[in-house]
Amino acid sequence: DAKTTQPPSMDCAEGRAANLPCNHSTISGNEYVYWYRQIHSQGPQYIIHGLKNNETNEMASLIITEDRKSSTLILPHATLRDTAVYYCIVRSRRLNNYGQNFVFGPGTRLSVLP
Amino acid sequence: EAEVAQSPRYKITEKSQAVAFWCDPISGHATLYWYRQILGQGPELLVQFQDESVVDDSQLPKDRFSAERLKGVDSTLKIQPAELGDSAMYLCASSFHRTETQYFGPGTRLLVL
């Protein structure tokens, strides 16, 4: 079972920031938070990941709460091409952690509206 | 930018036939994954390879599915015989190491009639 909970759907106006929440209240100290997105009929696309500090790259920003029980993915200026299903996943990166693979939940369907 | 390649992109077959999917991971990636994604759901892991060895096939229906990565580079996933319930997207992913970020290919969409 997925270790995260996300709202099933969200809308965002084009040009505005899209803030996608994720709850991971049972996250352990060695587990990272990963975000992927999947545009219709394509493979999932890696967006960003983090452990406990906020992270930013050319696609998005990831804000992780101090207790690490939740996070928010921020798309600063959403475009129509950002319409997709967004998956939040927690996963260990410990070297001896066989079997700790990505477990995808149903994700959040983000619709960017013109 | 290096990408994971998959073929074919689409496959239509009749039930009881055999089908095969091919994946070429990003060069240098030791870990390769096959996922199945049913419409409306997230991907589910079928099998994980570390180089040429299977390290996790606990969710692979072994009576009809098989996977191989003979030289530790590209991989083939086979279904024989295909059933109606196998209709899904089959995704391949790779990572430099099993603890690292996974990168996905475009997938093969299978329709079993």
Tab-separated table of all heavy atoms in Angstrom, chain B residues 1-26:
chain	number	residue	atom	x	y	z
B	1	GLU	N	19.505	14.402	-23.934
B	1	GLU	CA	19.306	13.766	-22.638
B	1	GLU	C	18.968	12.295	-22.848
B	1	GLU	O	18.106	11.960	-23.653
B	1	GLU	CB	18.177	14.468	-21.889
B	1	GLU	CG	17.909	13.911	-20.517
B	1	GLU	CD	16.857	14.732	-19.786
B	1	GLU	OE1	17.018	15.954	-19.698
B	1	GLU	OE2	15.882	14.132	-19.304
B	2	ALA	N	19.658	11.393	-22.132
B	2	ALA	CA	19.443	9.969	-22.279
B	2	ALA	C	18.048	9.585	-21.824
B	2	ALA	O	17.519	10.157	-20.865
B	2	ALA	CB	20.479	9.220	-21.458
B	3	GLU	N	17.448	8.617	-22.521
B	3	GLU	CA	16.095	8.188	-22.201
B	3	GLU	C	16.018	6.670	-22.196
B	3	GLU	O	16.836	5.984	-22.814
B	3	GLU	CB	15.108	8.752	-23.223
B	3	GLU	CG	14.998	10.259	-23.219
B	3	GLU	CD	14.006	10.775	-24.249
B	3	GLU	OE1	13.653	10.013	-25.172
B	3	GLU	OE2	13.590	11.943	-24.127
B	4	VAL	N	14.995	6.166	-21.530
B	4	VAL	CA	14.678	4.746	-21.573
B	4	VAL	C	13.836	4.501	-22.820
B	4	VAL	O	12.858	5.215	-23.066
B	4	VAL	CB	13.888	4.326	-20.319
B	4	VAL	CG1	13.476	2.862	-20.416
B	4	VAL	CG2	14.710	4.582	-19.057
B	5	ALA	N	14.245	3.506	-23.603
B	5	ALA	CA	13.516	3.189	-24.832
B	5	ALA	C	12.680	1.937	-24.626
B	5	ALA	O	13.120	0.988	-23.957
B	5	ALA	CB	14.499	2.981	-25.987
B	6	GLN	N	11.474	1.935	-25.203
B	6	GLN	CA	10.621	0.773	-25.152
B	6	GLN	C	10.001	0.539	-26.519
B	6	GLN	O	9.711	1.483	-27.252
B	6	GLN	CB	9.485	0.954	-24.131
B	6	GLN	CG	9.944	0.937	-22.692
B	6	GLN	CD	8.764	0.929	-21.733
B	6	GLN	OE1	8.509	1.899	-21.018
B	6	GLN	NE2	8.037	-0.190	-21.710
B	7	SER	N	9.792	-0.742	-26.836
B	7	SER	CA	9.053	-1.064	-28.056
B	7	SER	C	8.313	-2.371	-27.867
B	7	SER	O	8.729	-3.221	-27.056
B	7	SER	CB	10.017	-1.152	-29.247
B	7	SER	OG	10.889	-2.266	-29.101
B	8	PRO	N	7.191	-2.562	-28.577
B	8	PRO	CA	6.519	-1.538	-29.370
B	8	PRO	C	5.817	-0.534	-28.466
B	8	PRO	O	5.738	-0.733	-27.256
B	8	PRO	CB	5.500	-2.360	-30.168
B	8	PRO	CG	5.147	-3.483	-29.238
B	8	PRO	CD	6.418	-3.830	-28.525
B	9	ARG	N	5.303	0.532	-28.999
B	9	ARG	CA	4.533	1.492	-28.212
B	9	ARG	C	3.112	0.999	-28.010
B	9	ARG	O	2.503	1.246	-26.983
B	9	ARG	CB	4.513	2.853	-28.898
B	9	ARG	CG	5.870	3.551	-28.938
B	9	ARG	CD	6.356	3.941	-27.517
B	9	ARG	NE	5.348	4.655	-26.774
B	9	ARG	CZ	5.114	5.942	-26.883
B	9	ARG	NH1	5.833	6.673	-27.715
B	9	ARG	NH2	4.178	6.539	-26.156
B	10	TYR	N	2.599	0.276	-28.976
B	10	TYR	CA	1.242	-0.263	-28.897
B	10	TYR	C	1.251	-1.702	-29.412
B	10	TYR	O	1.972	-2.019	-30.351
B	10	TYR	CB	0.259	0.564	-29.738
B	10	TYR	CG	0.235	2.024	-29.373
B	10	TYR	CD1	1.051	2.940	-30.024
B	10	TYR	CD2	-0.602	2.489	-28.366
B	10	TYR	CE1	1.047	4.277	-29.676
B	10	TYR	CE2	-0.623	3.831	-28.009
B	10	TYR	CZ	0.213	4.714	-28.661
B	10	TYR	OH	0.204	6.036	-28.316
B	11	LYS	N	0.411	-2.538	-28.761
B	11	LYS	CA	0.316	-3.927	-29.183
B	11	LYS	C	-1.111	-4.404	-28.974
B	11	LYS	O	-1.674	-4.251	-27.887
B	11	LYS	CB	1.278	-4.805	-28.374
B	11	LYS	CG	1.234	-6.280	-28.725
B	11	LYS	CD	1.808	-6.537	-30.089
B	11	LYS	CE	1.827	-8.028	-30.405
B	11	LYS	NZ	2.369	-8.274	-31.772
B	12	ILE	N	-1.705	-4.938	-30.036
B	12	ILE	CA	-3.018	-5.556	-29.937
B	12	ILE	C	-2.837	-7.038	-30.217
B	12	ILE	O	-2.206	-7.414	-31.210
B	12	ILE	CB	-4.011	-4.937	-30.941
B	12	ILE	CG1	-4.162	-3.438	-30.689
B	12	ILE	CG2	-5.370	-5.629	-30.849
B	12	ILE	CD1	-5.025	-2.721	-31.714
B	13	THR	N	-3.385	-7.864	-29.357
B	13	THR	CA	-3.247	-9.298	-29.534
B	13	THR	C	-4.535	-9.978	-29.103
B	13	THR	O	-5.388	-9.374	-28.452
B	13	THR	CB	-2.069	-9.850	-28.720
B	13	THR	OG1	-1.802	-11.206	-29.100
B	13	THR	CG2	-2.362	-9.812	-27.227
B	14	GLU	N	-4.687	-11.221	-29.480
B	14	GLU	CA	-5.844	-12.005	-29.057
B	14	GLU	C	-5.450	-12.829	-27.837
B	14	GLU	O	-4.285	-13.215	-27.679
B	14	GLU	CB	-6.311	-12.900	-30.196
B	14	GLU	CG	-6.844	-12.118	-31.395
B	14	GLU	CD	-7.391	-13.021	-32.474
B	14	GLU	OE1	-7.105	-14.236	-32.427
B	14	GLU	OE2	-8.098	-12.510	-33.368
B	15	LYS	N	-6.429	-13.085	-27.016
B	15	LYS	CA	-6.145	-13.892	-25.824
B	15	LYS	C	-5.604	-15.249	-26.252
B	15	LYS	O	-5.926	-15.759	-27.325
B	15	LYS	CB	-7.393	-14.056	-24.964
B	15	LYS	CG	-8.519	-14.813	-25.585
B	15	LYS	CD	-9.690	-14.928	-24.609
B	15	LYS	CE	-10.824	-15.735	-25.237
B	15	LYS	NZ	-11.950	-15.879	-24.265
B	16	SER	N	-4.728	-15.767	-25.413
B	16	SER	CA	-4.009	-17.030	-25.585
B	16	SER	C	-2.762	-16.902	-26.459
B	16	SER	O	-1.988	-17.849	-26.573
B	16	SER	CB	-4.897	-18.167	-26.113
B	16	SER	OG	-5.087	-18.052	-27.503
B	17	GLN	N	-2.584	-15.720	-27.080
B	17	GLN	CA	-1.368	-15.505	-27.856
B	17	GLN	C	-0.225	-15.084	-26.939
B	17	GLN	O	-0.433	-14.660	-25.798
B	17	GLN	CB	-1.597	-14.441	-28.927
B	17	GLN	CG	-2.626	-14.848	-29.969
B	17	GLN	CD	-2.185	-16.057	-30.752
B	17	GLN	OE1	-1.096	-16.082	-31.347
B	17	GLN	NE2	-3.010	-17.098	-30.754
B	18	ALA	N	0.987	-15.162	-27.461
B	18	ALA	CA	2.170	-14.714	-26.739
B	18	ALA	C	2.530	-13.293	-27.177
B	18	ALA	O	2.384	-12.948	-28.357
B	18	ALA	CB	3.339	-15.651	-27.007
B	19	VAL	N	2.972	-12.489	-26.218
B	19	VAL	CA	3.434	-11.126	-26.531
B	19	VAL	C	4.755	-10.878	-25.815
B	19	VAL	O	5.036	-11.490	-24.780
B	19	VAL	CB	2.417	-10.050	-26.118
B	19	VAL	CG1	1.162	-10.121	-26.950
B	19	VAL	CG2	2.088	-10.142	-24.640
B	20	ALA	N	5.539	-9.987	-26.376
B	20	ALA	CA	6.832	-9.651	-25.769
B	20	ALA	C	7.070	-8.159	-25.886
B	20	ALA	O	6.738	-7.545	-26.910
B	20	ALA	CB	7.960	-10.417	-26.446
B	21	PHE	N	7.647	-7.592	-24.842
B	21	PHE	CA	7.961	-6.171	-24.808
B	21	PHE	C	9.459	-6.035	-24.558
B	21	PHE	O	10.040	-6.803	-23.793
B	21	PHE	CB	7.195	-5.459	-23.683
B	21	PHE	CG	5.742	-5.812	-23.587
B	21	PHE	CD1	5.202	-6.239	-22.388
B	21	PHE	CD2	4.919	-5.713	-24.706
B	21	PHE	CE1	3.867	-6.564	-22.296
B	21	PHE	CE2	3.585	-6.034	-24.613
B	21	PHE	CZ	3.049	-6.470	-23.416
B	22	TRP	N	10.030	-4.994	-25.164
B	22	TRP	CA	11.468	-4.784	-25.056
B	22	TRP	C	11.771	-3.451	-24.413
B	22	TRP	O	11.036	-2.466	-24.621
B	22	TRP	CB	12.085	-4.856	-26.456
B	22	TRP	CG	13.558	-4.596	-26.495
B	22	TRP	CD1	14.560	-5.466	-26.197
B	22	TRP	CD2	14.188	-3.375	-26.902
B	22	TRP	NE1	15.787	-4.859	-26.372
B	22	TRP	CE2	15.579	-3.575	-26.803
B	22	TRP	CE3	13.718	-2.134	-27.315
B	22	TRP	CZ2	16.504	-2.591	-27.117
B	22	TRP	CZ3	14.642	-1.141	-27.629
B	22	TRP	CH2	16.014	-1.387	-27.534
B	23	CYS	N	12.837	-3.419	-23.613
B	23	CYS	CA	13.249	-2.191	-22.938
B	23	CYS	C	14.756	-2.024	-23.021
B	23	CYS	O	15.510	-2.972	-22.755
B	23	CYS	CB	12.815	-2.226	-21.472
B	23	CYS	SG	13.467	-0.863	-20.472
B	24	ASP	N	15.197	-0.827	-23.362
B	24	ASP	CA	16.616	-0.483	-23.344
B	24	ASP	C	16.809	0.644	-22.339
B	24	ASP	O	16.353	1.764	-22.570
B	24	ASP	CB	17.080	-0.042	-24.728
B	24	ASP	CG	18.596	0.062	-24.826
B	24	ASP	OD1	19.293	-0.442	-23.912
B	24	ASP	OD2	19.091	0.636	-25.808
B	25	PRO	N	17.447	0.374	-21.214
B	25	PRO	CA	17.577	1.399	-20.175
B	25	PRO	C	18.592	2.469	-20.541
B	25	PRO	O	19.295	2.359	-21.541
B	25	PRO	CB	18.066	0.593	-18.972
B	25	PRO	CG	18.870	-0.512	-19.596
B	25	PRO	CD	18.136	-0.857	-20.864
B	26	ILE	N	18.658	3.479	-19.726
B	26	ILE	CA	19.680	4.507	-19.889
B	26	ILE	C	21.052	3.860	-19.706
B	26	ILE	O	21.237	3.041	-18.801
B	26	ILE	CB	19.459	5.649	-18.876
B	26	ILE	CG1	18.143	6.377	-19.193
B	26	ILE	CG2	20.626	6.624	-18.866
B	26	ILE	CD1	17.719	7.399	-18.162
